[in-house]
Amino acid sequence: MKFFVDTANVAEIRRINEMGIVDGVTTNPTIVAREGRDFETVIKEICSIVDGPVSAEVTGLTAHDMVTEARSISKWSNNVVIKIPMTMEGLKAVKILSKEGIKTNVTLIFSVSQGLMAMKAGATIISPFVGRLEDIGVDAYQLIADLRHIIDFYGYETEIIAASIRSVQQLEKVTKLGAHIATIPDSLFEKMSSHILTTQGIEQFMKDWETFEKREK
Ligand code: G3P
């Protein structure tokens, strides 16, 4: 199971990366816009911090525009992956890019058929959005399980990134269902690492140790 950080905030990426459990980064236009910095500068900086794949999304809507943008972005760094929206034009672009050896992450996946089409086009990664499916009352976990089953059954090389993860429970569920990767907002790492019984346990250990030390003196 790989952990990606879902942010374009360089300070947060550095902070989380120090734990040594970050395998990559994902961004999208919303996330990059939030930083108010130049797209190319931010992506290049992230690629220099993290060894693993860094997803950068195209904004063109035609296959031609997506491919043109993707070719240019792919030159920014060896570890950049081109994020392409799940549309018919997007699929055309993915097919062309995969033939050129450019890695792609097909994003905004909400159904089995969308995932399957992206796999067939040669997507390196597909990004089903868990939180947004749950927002509209759809079983996102069945989708993750189905996509994983299809990959294994038919032998596709595509990996699943469970995206739009907002809670520890969501993260734990997609892990158990076989998502290859989860992309996680930086704020969630703190919550994932803590448990009330861990906090209480440390407090108790420290208290007992102080009592023991005082008695020994
Ligand atoms: O990875 C996709 C993610 O950034 C979307 O998350 O919370 O906006 O649905 P959210």
Side-chain angles (χ1 to χ4, degrees):
M1 179 66 172
K2 287 174 266 186
F3 284 172
F4 286 10
V5 195
D6 197 24
T7 184
N9 185 297
V10 171
E12 281 304 308
I13 292 169
R14 283 189 202 282
R15 187 178 73 86
I16 305 291
N17 199 34
E18 277 177 6
M19 278 190 290
I21 56 168
V22 168
D23 304 294
V25 173
T26 52
T27 67
N28 62 36
T30 305
I31 284 174
V32 173
R34 203 178 287 152
E35 298 307 309
R37 298 180 61 202
D38 174 63
F39 180 41
E40 181 173 344
T41 308
V42 173
I43 296 298
K44 282 182 175 169
E45 199 173 340
I46 296 171
C47 287
S48 73
I49 300 168
V50 177
D51 294 330
V54 174
S55 287
E57 189 159 344
V58 296
T59 50
L61 294 176
T62 63
H64 174 269
D65 288 355
M66 289 182 203
V67 169
T68 307
E69 268 182 77
R71 285 180 182 142
S72 158
I73 295 171
S74 68
K75 292 193 184 93
W76 295 350
S77 174
N78 286 339
N79 52 335
V80 81
V81 172
I82 311 300
K83 222 169 174 188
I84 306 271
M86 174 58 219
T87 60
M88 300 277 273
E89 288 297 301
L91 291 176
K92 273 198 260 174
V94 169
K95 189 80 207 172
I96 295 166
L97 295 169
S98 74
K99 279 191 187 148
E100 293 179 13
I102 295 175
K103 291 185 176 163
T104 54
N105 171 359
V106 179
T107 189
L108 293 162
I109 298 279
F110 295 96
S111 70
V112 169
S113 60
Q114 287 183 319
L116 180 56
M117 288 172 97
M119 289 174 210
K120 284 182 69 64
T124 317
I125 302 169
I126 52 172
S127 292
F129 276 38
V130 171
R132 291 192 195 185
L133 273 175
E134 291 212 296
D135 288 345
I136 58 162
V138 173
D139 185 354
Y141 308 105
Q142 189 60 52
L143 175 62
I144 299 290
D146 288 344
L147 291 171
R148 181 61 203 245
H149 172 72
I150 289 165
I151 287 171
D152 294 342
F153 190 81
Y154 289 100
Y156 289 111
E157 284 174 14
T158 306
E159 289 194 311
I160 300 166
I161 294 190
S164 185
I165 296 289
R166 304 169 193 156
S167 72
V168 176
Q169 290 74 20
Q170 288 173 331
L171 183 270
E172 290 177 352
K173 281 188 195 173
V174 300
T175 302
K176 286 187 270 185
L177 291 167
H180 302 87
I181 306 156
T183 190
I184 304 165
D186 45 275
S187 56
L188 200 58
F189 282 88
E190 190 80 43
K191 289 184 187 140
M192 286 159 61
S193 71
S194 49
H195 192 284
I196 182 66
L197 293 178
T198 307
T199 311
Q200 287 174 358
I202 292 168
E203 279 169 10
Q204 188 64 50
F205 288 158
M206 293 303 105
K207 226 162 96 191
D208 293 344
W209 187 250
E210 272 170 33
T211 310
F212 166 74
E213 276 192 317
K214 272 185 203 148
R215 212 176 47 221
E216 291 300 297
K217 276 178 193 165

